[in-house]
């Protein structure tokens, strides 16, 4: 069982930056791939980025490539998402998720992740 909890959401202006964090309470944190997902009101949940157990492999949805950076610190059981050049369409509830690792990479698909946080809200104002 893995419990994950996100922090760092808030209000930011268009073009601004925001950093999200996620702490995982589990032994063997590095047995899991980690991911960030988001869901805007009235829209389906979508994957944002994922990172392999080692941190060596990352994958981003096209919308955030070059603007967001996912990283992890296995010694601290922490996952991060650095968001820059934020746009209005980035506004959503952001969720941290963990799933068992089965290789050197990650797949940004919801069904690959078993444990989810409660979400943290990101609001982008113009």
């Amino acid at each position: 069982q893995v419990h994950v909890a996100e922090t760092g959401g808030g209000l930011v202006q268009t073009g601004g930056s925001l950093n999200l964090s996620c702490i995982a309470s589990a032994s063997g944190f590095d047995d899991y791939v980690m991911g960030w997902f988001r869901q805007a009101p009235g829209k389906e949940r979508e994957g944002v980025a994922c990172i392999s157990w080692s941190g060596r492999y990352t994958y981003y949805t096209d919308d955030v490539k070059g603007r967001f950076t996912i990283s992890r610190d296995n010694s601290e059981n922490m996952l991060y998402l650095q968001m820059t050049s934020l746009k209005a369409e980035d506004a959503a509830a952001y969720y941290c998720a963990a799933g068992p690792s089965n290789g050197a990479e990650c797949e940004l698909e919801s069904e690959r992740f078993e444990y989810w946080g409660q979400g943290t809200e990101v609001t982008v104002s113009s």
Side-chain angles (χ1 to χ4, degrees), residues 4-82:
V4 293
E6 310 89 344
T7 58
L11 174 65
V12 63
Q13 289 188 327
T14 302
S17 300
L18 200 62
N19 296 326
L20 305 183
S21 299
C22 171
I23 186 165
S25 58
S27 59
F29 178 66
D30 55 5
D31 289 335
Y32 296 90
V33 297
M34 299 296 295
W36 287 100
F37 291 77
R38 66 186 180 186
Q39 187 168 20
K43 295 187 177 181
E44 293 187 355
R45 184 172 60 192
E46 63 173 346
V48 176
C50 66
I51 188 167
S52 64
W53 70 269
S54 67
R56 295 190 188 97
Y57 177 88
T58 57
Y59 180 85
Y60 299 89
T61 190
D62 286 346
D63 287 350
V64 307
K65 281 180 182 176
R67 300 189 297 121
F68 291 11
T69 302
I70 188 171
S71 61
R72 66 189 294 165
D73 183 342
N74 286 349
S75 68
E76 298 289 337
N77 283 18
M78 292 293 296
L79 175 73
Y80 304 100
L81 185 69
Q82 296 176 287

Side-chain angles (χ1 to χ4, degrees), residues 78-95:
M78 292 293 296
L79 175 73
Y80 304 100
L81 185 69
Q82 296 176 287
M83 305 186 294
T84 64
S85 301
L86 282 160
K87 306 174 182 179
E89 51 264 42
D90 293 319
Y94 281 71
Y95 298 89

